[in-house]
Amino acid sequence: MEDASQAGLDIVVLVKHVPDAQFDRHISGEDRTTVREESILSELDEYALEAALQIVEAHGGEAAGHRVTAVTMGPPAAASAVKKALQIGAHAGVHLSDEALAGSDAAGTSRALAAVVRHLGAVDLVLTGMASTDGETSLVPAQLAERLDLPQVTFASSLEVQQQDGSWSLTARRDGDVYSETVEATLPAVVSVTDQINEPRYPNFKGIMAAKKKPLTTLSLEDVGVDASEVGLAGAWTRVLTADPRPPRSQGTIISDEGDAGIRIVDFLAAQKLL
Amino acid sequence: MATVLVLIDQPGEGLHKSHRELLTIASGLGGAAVAFLGDLNEAVAQELGARGVRTIYRPSSADVGEFLVAGKAAFLAATVRASSPSAVLLGNSFEAKEIAARAGVQLTSGVITDAVAIGEDFSVTKSVLAGSYAVEAKVITGTPLITVKANTVDVAPAGDGGAPEVVTVDSAMPARAARITGRTAKAASGRPELTEARVIVAGGRGVDGDFTPVEELADALGGAVGASRAATDAGWIEHSAQIGQTGKTVSPQLYISAGISGAIQQKAGMQTAKVIIAVNKDADSPVFEIADFGVVGDLFKVLPQATAEIIKRRS
Ligand SMILES: Cc1cc2nc3c(=O)[nH]c(=O)nc-3n(C[C@H](O)[C@H](O)[C@H](O)COP(=O)(O)OP(=O)(O)OC[C@H]3O[C@@H](n4cnc5c(N)ncnc54)[C@H](O)[C@@H]3O)c2cc1C
């Protein structure tokens, strides 16, 4: 790996193109995969991008040689997640696009993304959101750290990167139920951040114009040295057998408080045998 | 028949209800062995024996927990290699999911999270897309690693088995891992753990800085206190109380929502609750769309009245 002190920080932010949760989301087809119309950049990945941009700004900016690359994988439409990241402030974008990726589970996704990170070479920091808003499993960042054999710092609610004697390290906070933890690691590392870490910025007009000139590279599985059989449905270690939409919850009784609503709640609890 | 391995991670003084649930499921699927992290005291060992556990696996190194996730995952993977279980069950915390995730890569084994039921063939029932779909999924490669939500089974009564055999498992410490260098314990509330609670009373921006009526109703019902992100962001209550997409996902018997509008990210964490009661002064709040019983009113009047009524009926 290159000497980070001379080369500047190379930060990769993984972004996902996900169905907008504001609309009804669906599962369809023989393979029971999520329908990806009306998709957007996952809100949770905006926190990771913001964290990356703040690190770069705190250490002298692009001029100091630091660089943020937004990486996504998925069908052609997924490129729009990377484009949005470029508008917000990422310096370069990479889109792993291959039909064979369709239906990837966490194992396949982490395999493909690890291959992209390796392909990019000297990466100092891989940043992700805390979960995808569609898969909701939070497995990928941990599996990525395992596959890349890098320190894993997940669910960071604060993150600082510092340089000492030419080598970079990080300090993060994790807020658990029982403890609040301070975590330290040397770079390179894989870090996922929560929505507590910052307030993501919005793209402005200047950013939107500048994004058009930023490099966006499309890679295939072959480019990153992954066999099609290792990802997608073919390479999945799990399978969805059935998927049934849950009947929407039906609205119950709604009353207006006329001075006795507290008592009526208790009547309702008693009738439901919940007291 | 091969046993099912249950990962128990630092129960502290005694086993948690969720650990007993995992042991109950494992016993029903062919018998339980335990991979144990933390302080194995006499009482815990006795109880594990009484719950039918014949073997407890422990890491050879005491400081696996000082390395973020990697150490625990390496121990779990080594235990699976040493004992060849038919499946592994874990709790459903973020950390448990990550331990499963990394062990899965080491073992070339699939991981399924958020299970609410497990069949004899280890097929898993779970909900996805914020509770809008019920899915049946199966691990098709390797040893199934399954993280199970709390409150999915009734805990079986303990028997009277003897103390289990304790086996030490060697696992290599990860060379590249993050180190936990500081730990501050959070104040214990004395209330049930949110993900295990049968009753949750949650407050939102509508409590306007004062959680007292929410807490008092929760205590009258023996429940836990939850919150919307607006309330945790305002600093009125700890972040660990947040329910929703970026907080906890809960499925209690009863969820009482007070002063919460019912945004999609909030619903994602609570709409699989059995019964939902909502109190909100705005009749157009989306939370009423999913409420079994809704009150359009002021939570500062309605909640204390309900609390007083519960106390009165009980005395
Ligand atoms: C990436 C992301 C992740 C998020 N994750 C979560 C999450 O995990 N959990 C979550 O909850 N939110 C989450 N949110 C935020 C979510 O979108 C909403 O902003 C939030 O849930 C609103 O909280 P609230 O309902 O308490 O506040 P509001 O929406 O402001 O609603 C307050 C309600 O209180 C009522 N009210 C006021 N006074 C009273 C009174 N005296 N008596 C009765 N009712 C009263 C009002 O009528 C109103 O309906 C997330 C947002 C984003 C972008």
Side-chain angles (χ1 to χ4, degrees):
Chain A
M1 213 147 275
E2 280 175 66
D3 183 352
S5 63
Q6 286 162 24
L9 285 169
D10 250 309
I11 305 179
V12 164
V13 180
L14 301 177
V15 297
K16 189 170 179 188
H17 191 237
V18 297
D20 192 339
Q22 300 294 343
F23 301 101
D24 283 342
R25 294 174 291 177
H26 300 285
I27 295 176
S28 81
E30 220 174 285
D31 305 321
R32 286 165 282 274
T33 51
T34 311
V35 177
R36 302 202 166 271
E37 283 155 25
E38 319 219 57
S39 289
I40 53 167
L41 167 62
S42 171
E43 287 179 322
L44 298 179
D45 297 336
E46 293 182 19
Y47 296 91
L49 177 57
E50 179 64 34
L53 297 174
Q54 286 186 12
I55 289 169
V56 166
E57 284 157 9
H59 293 278
E62 219 185 331
H66 308 310
R67 197 178 157 80
V68 176
T69 305
V71 171
T72 198
M73 64 176 254
S80 68
V82 172
K83 286 182 189 151
K84 174 91 183 281
L86 293 173
Q87 293 174 350
I88 294 172
H91 306 113
V94 171
H95 177 198
L96 178 68
S97 179
D98 206 299
E99 272 170 20
L101 289 166
S104 292
D105 63 358
T109 303
S110 61
R111 185 189 295 277
L113 291 172
V116 175
V117 172
R118 280 197 207 97
H119 176 84
L120 293 177
V123 169
D124 298 292
L125 195 55
V126 180
L127 275 167
T128 78
M130 63 186 282
S132 63
T133 52
D134 55 345
E136 301 162 338
T137 66
S138 297
L139 299 176
V140 169
Q143 295 201 326
L144 205 58
E146 181 70 39
R147 291 189 187 280
L148 293 168
D149 190 20
L150 292 180
Q152 167 193 340
V153 179
T154 36
F155 301 103
S157 57
S158 81
L159 174 65
E160 262 165 66
V161 163
Q162 55 269 334
Q163 191 178 26
Q164 210 180 26
D165 304 329
S167 57
W168 292 90
S169 61
L170 68 82
T171 308
R173 198 179 67 238
R174 282 168 46 104
D175 286 315
D177 288 338
V178 190
Y179 300 109
S180 176
E181 293 169 337
T182 307
V183 177
E184 291 175 22
T186 51
L187 300 195
V190 175
V191 178
S192 81
V193 304
T194 72
D195 62 339
Q196 301 292 301
I197 194 164
N198 54 40
E199 275 296 328
R201 68 192 73 179
Y202 294 103
N204 57 26
F205 181 71
K206 219 177 111 202
I208 292 168
M209 294 315 288
K212 294 183 174 148
K213 296 199 197 81
K214 292 177 178 173
L216 199 171
T217 312
T218 305
L219 298 173
S220 67
L221 282 172
E222 203 184 337
D223 293 331
V224 299
V226 171
D227 196 86
S229 66
E230 296 175 312
V231 294
L233 275 178
W237 295 350
T238 56
R239 181 133 302 165
V240 176
L241 307 173
T242 61
D244 299 303
R246 237 178 244 284
R249 282 190 92 102
S250 49
Q251 194 176 53
T253 315
I254 310 293
I255 62 162
S256 267
D257 183 20
E258 285 169 2
D260 64 346
I263 292 159
R264 295 186 60 185
I265 286 178
V266 182
D267 289 339
F268 174 82
L269 291 177
Q272 298 277 323
K273 300 198 168 41
L274 284 166
L275 272 189
Chain B
M1 200 163 164
T3 53
V4 172
L5 185 67
V6 174
L7 179 75
I8 294 185
D9 189 7
Q10 278 168 331
E13 289 293 295
L15 293 180
H16 280 220
K17 180 163 156 271
S18 57
H19 298 136
R20 297 189 179 107
E21 291 171 359
L22 293 178
L23 293 169
T24 301
I25 298 170
S27 301
L29 290 169
V34 164
F36 192 93
L37 287 160
D39 190 14
L40 183 64
N41 60 43
E42 191 62 29
V44 168
Q46 284 297 336
E47 182 175 348
L48 289 175
R51 295 194 173 279
V53 174
R54 295 278 64 85
T55 316
I56 301 175
Y57 298 92
R58 303 201 64 196
S60 53
S61 156
D63 59 355
V64 279
E66 301 309 309
F67 300 92
L68 206 59
V69 184
K72 293 178 179 179
F75 162 65
L76 181 63
T79 307
V80 170
R81 286 198 193 95
S83 63
S84 310
S86 50
V88 181
L89 306 184
L90 306 90
N92 206 48
S93 66
F94 281 130
E95 186 169 3
K97 289 178 185 176
E98 294 183 327
I99 294 170
R102 295 189 66 138
V105 168
Q106 291 185 32
L107 297 163
T108 314
S109 294
V111 180
I112 298 180
T113 63
D114 305 286
V116 295
I118 303 175
E120 270 174 35
D121 61 348
F122 299 108
S123 60
V124 171
T125 310
K126 64 179 280 189
S127 356
V128 298
L129 294 178
S132 58
Y133 275 81
V135 150
E136 211 192 319
K138 206 173 167 186
V139 169
I140 53 171
T141 300
T143 307
L145 295 150
I146 303 169
T147 75
V148 187
K149 288 179 85 161
N151 287 333
T152 58
V153 289
D154 292 325
V155 173
D160 45 17
E165 179 195 5
V166 177
V167 175
T168 305
V169 176
D170 271 319
S171 63
M173 273 303 128
R176 305 231 251 169
R179 250 181 190 283
I180 299 165
T181 54
R183 231 181 224 137
T184 339
K186 296 198 170 161
S189 69
R191 298 194 180 94
E193 160 67 33
L194 263 180
T195 51
E196 296 179 5
R198 291 175 58 82
V199 175
I200 294 172
V201 186
R205 202 191 308 273
V207 308
D208 199 16
D210 182 8
F211 261 78
T212 319
V214 172
E215 288 169 352
E216 286 176 353
L217 181 55
D219 289 342
L221 290 164
V225 173
S228 72
R229 189 169 107 170
T232 55
D233 277 357
W236 301 336
I237 184 165
E238 272 217 79
H239 173 60
S240 55
Q242 184 182 314
I243 311 267
Q245 183 195 76
T246 55
K248 303 241 157 64
T249 307
V250 298
S251 325
Q253 294 291 311
L254 171 63
Y255 189 93
I256 302 182
S257 158
I260 297 178
S261 58
I264 181 102
Q265 294 94 345
Q266 156 75 202
K267 283 189 197 161
M270 46 67 81
Q271 64 187 354
T272 55
K274 193 112 186 273
V275 173
I276 296 172
I277 296 181
V279 180
N280 193 304
K281 65 182 184 190
D282 175 4
D284 295 327
S285 283
V287 69
F288 287 126
E289 292 161 14
I290 57 164
D292 299 289
F293 190 77
V295 172
V296 181
D298 183 354
L299 73 92
F300 289 99
K301 297 206 178 95
V302 178
L303 264 49
Q305 189 181 48
T307 307
E309 182 69 13
I310 291 165
I311 294 167
K312 192 176 111 196
R313 290 196 195 182
R314 289 225 172 113
S315 64

